[in-house]
Amino acid sequence: MASRQPFTPASLDNLKSGSLTDPQTPGLVIEVGARGKKTWKYRRRLPDQDVTVKMTLGSYPAYRIGDAREWARQLNNNVETGVDPREALREAAARAEMTVARAHALYMTAAREGRASRAKRLNKPRTIKDKQDIYDRDIAPILGAKIIYEVTEKDLIKLVSKKGETAKVRANRLAAELKVFFGWAAGLRGLVVGLENDPSRRLGDLKFVETRRTRKLDLDEIRWFLQAVALEKRDFRRGLILSLLTATRINELVKARSSEIENGVWTIPAARSKNSTAHAIALGPWGQQLFASNHEWVFPAERVEGPRTTGWYKARDRVLARMEKIADRSIERFCPHDFRRTARSNTKRLKIDFETAEAMLNHLKVGMERIYDGYELEEEKAAWFLKWEREIIQLAEKAGVAAELEVPVQPKRAIKAPSRRRRCT
């Protein structure tokens, strides 16, 4: 049992064993260890609770009497109001460890489980990837190590404005994702973070004007494209032509597996589709030949296991440069996604109805039609893709590059000699 003696430097220096309770400060005790080390400790029971607060400050004389009494007084301020000071310390420690990186990891878990937005539904794999990409590319390098409670509106404005200097569309996506992330951290869904104030609340005011893309290739440009792409390496040549023939998104195409193609039909699984709906594309003879691969992936990477996901835009740049030489003029820049707009823009000319044209792009039906009309238009889509392939083949033949582009040779029909029938006289 701790003895009660006046707390003076002399009394503490003379203490050789046991413990001594400070008569002036409730709960403050100094104890002597087995090796004679003297340690400041705090022992006090919470009012009306069967809980004893036990805490340690450090050794004497590193902490002097005045230091220990001030420490104990602060603890008493909590204890006497029924608050366990250890909880406050744990919360303070947790706050000190809650960096933006740690908060974002918790946010991504909530996003995968459908708890990160008011929509309360599971996010698509593509959405999850986009969120992580934005964080890794734009947020983590600047704010990742910062305590989230110390992030200010000024920090976020600077981040978005800097991005807007070079990439306005990406700056808008960044601002939108910051609003969702910090809104979650400051809301009831993000109580695990417990952000008191949302610094992203006004970021919507920074939105940059976006120019909607309208680029499509005309028939002359398609012909020049076919001449130019004929000089590419086979995988890039196959991929860029298939992007035109199938009117699919480039990320859906380059990650295609050979197992997704069956009986001449390539089915993009729902997990890789932007709208989470599987999309079947009936390939024509040329498309089937271009898709043929003896590998797990239709476009395998050269140096790593997996699909070839890089190099496509550099290939586009090479093709565009050749097109300008062939045409002897400058040509507006285009991207693989513009092939979707090109194909869709030719549907009316080729006498394709609106519903089939939309289904060809895997655009979902809207309104009551989406609920009640379950017809998938597969036959109509197959007819369109075959018609579109034949249209491109004709352009390749006119450009004189059909053989280089691996266009299947169409068997010539045998010409029958006219039958000789006797005339009745």
Side-chain angles (χ1 to χ4, degrees):
M1 184 175 178
S3 61
R4 288 181 173 272
Q5 297 179 21
F7 258 39
T8 62
S11 64
L12 298 189
D13 291 340
N14 293 330
L15 185 65
K16 302 302 181 184
S17 61
S19 60
L20 189 62
T21 299
D22 184 5
Q24 183 177 325
T25 311
L28 182 60
V29 178
I30 188 167
E31 292 184 356
V32 181
R35 298 183 178 181
K37 182 179 179 180
K38 300 168 185 176
T39 305
W40 293 109
K41 296 190 175 182
Y42 180 86
R43 302 285 185 272
R44 196 171 182 193
R45 186 172 178 175
L46 289 172
D48 302 323
Q49 299 182 47
D50 190 20
V51 176
T52 300
V53 177
K54 298 179 180 181
M55 301 179 68
T56 300
L57 173 62
S59 62
Y60 172 84
Y63 290 94
R64 299 184 177 277
I65 296 174
D67 300 329
R69 282 176 170 165
E70 180 58 30
W71 170 67
R73 286 193 194 100
Q74 292 178 8
L75 298 179
N76 284 329
N77 290 336
N78 288 308
V79 169
E80 289 166 3
T81 57
V83 176
D84 191 335
R86 294 171 298 183
E87 289 297 326
L89 289 175
R90 279 191 284 267
E91 289 179 9
R95 288 178 66 86
E97 296 174 356
M98 189 58 73
T99 60
V100 171
R102 184 175 180 186
H104 190 267
L106 296 170
Y107 162 73
M108 290 303 297
T109 298
R112 293 185 186 94
E113 296 174 356
R115 297 182 290 103
S117 68
R118 293 185 178 90
K120 296 181 181 178
R121 62 171 177 263
L122 293 177
N123 288 290
K124 293 179 288 189
R126 180 189 172 105
T127 302
I128 295 296
K129 183 180 183 304
D130 288 346
K131 287 177 177 291
Q132 191 63 53
D133 286 347
I134 290 173
Y135 174 77
D136 292 339
R137 181 182 61 237
D138 300 321
I139 303 174
I142 307 300
L143 298 177
K146 192 165 186 173
I147 302 300
I148 192 170
Y149 312 106
E150 298 174 0
V151 175
T152 65
E153 182 182 69
K154 186 176 181 180
D155 293 330
L156 302 186
I157 291 173
K158 184 178 179 181
L159 190 66
V160 174
S161 298
K162 185 68 175 177
K163 193 69 179 179
E165 293 175 3
T166 56
K168 291 180 171 56
V169 174
R170 283 191 174 182
N172 288 341
R173 304 297 178 271
L174 171 59
E177 180 59 16
L178 286 170
K179 281 181 65 64
V180 177
F181 168 42
F182 280 93
W184 169 83
L188 293 178
R189 297 184 305 278
L191 281 177
V192 65
V193 177
L195 188 63
E196 291 86 355
N197 298 301
D198 179 6
S200 72
R201 185 173 51 85
R202 300 194 298 173
L203 280 187
D205 295 344
L206 288 181
K207 188 169 184 178
F208 295 89
V209 176
E210 297 183 21
T211 303
R212 190 177 295 275
R213 287 190 63 85
T214 59
R215 178 74 167 104
K216 62 182 183 295
L217 280 69
D218 61 31
L219 296 181
D220 284 335
E221 289 178 321
I222 294 176
R223 180 164 49 82
W224 297 329
F225 163 76
L226 294 170
Q227 290 176 276
V229 81
L231 301 176
E232 275 298 311
K233 289 184 178 179
R234 187 169 185 269
D235 267 8
F236 290 126
R237 183 174 71 243
R238 289 192 305 131
L240 290 173
I241 294 172
L242 282 169
S243 180
L244 176 62
L245 294 180
T246 62
T248 53
R249 298 174 179 86
I250 189 68
N251 66 305
E252 294 173 344
L253 177 65
V254 301
K255 295 179 182 178
R257 296 176 183 267
S258 297
S259 59
E260 295 171 0
I261 303 156
E262 189 173 347
N263 298 325
V265 177
W266 172 39
T267 301
I268 304 172
R272 280 217 336 276
S273 172
K274 183 178 180 180
N275 60 13
S276 298
T277 302
H279 181 36
I281 298 174
L283 302 167
W286 190 19
Q288 292 182 46
Q289 186 161 311
L290 293 174
F291 253 109
S293 172
N294 58 3
H295 196 278
E296 174 189 359
W297 303 97
V298 174
F299 304 99
E302 289 184 329
R303 299 179 181 177
V304 297
E305 183 60 34
R308 183 194 291 271
T309 57
T310 60
W312 296 98
Y313 284 87
K314 289 183 178 179
R316 182 277 315 274
D317 291 342
R318 293 191 296 268
V319 168
L320 181 59
R322 295 189 199 109
M323 288 173 64
E324 292 182 329
K325 286 185 178 180
I326 294 168
D328 194 25
R329 67 173 178 83
S330 63
I331 296 176
E332 183 183 351
R333 191 180 183 87
F334 64 88
C335 65
H337 195 83
D338 294 328
F339 289 142
R340 282 172 61 80
R341 192 176 297 104
T342 299
R344 179 64 176 83
S345 299
N346 279 275
T347 54
K348 186 168 288 189
R349 182 178 63 83
L350 296 175
K351 304 298 188 292
I352 304 299
D353 65 274
F354 176 83
E355 281 188 294
T356 302
E358 288 296 280
M360 172 266 293
L361 292 179
N362 199 22
H363 287 168
L364 298 179
K365 298 171 184 177
V366 298
M368 300 300 291
E369 187 181 5
R370 181 174 180 179
I371 298 173
Y372 289 103
D373 187 356
Y375 184 56
E376 300 296 339
L377 295 160
E378 296 301 343
E379 292 182 7
E380 290 82 355
K381 285 165 54 182
W384 148 254
F385 282 115
L386 183 59
K387 195 173 215 179
W388 181 236
E389 179 175 294
R390 287 172 177 168
E391 178 82 356
I392 304 304
I393 287 175
Q394 288 181 6
L395 293 173
E397 290 172 343
K398 287 181 180 179
V401 291
E404 291 89 336
L405 300 181
E406 304 177 54
V407 175
V409 177
Q410 300 295 321
K412 295 182 178 179
R413 295 181 180 178
I415 300 175
K416 295 182 179 179
S419 60
R420 294 180 180 179
R421 294 182 181 178
R422 289 185 179 182
R423 280 187 178 179
C424 297
T425 57

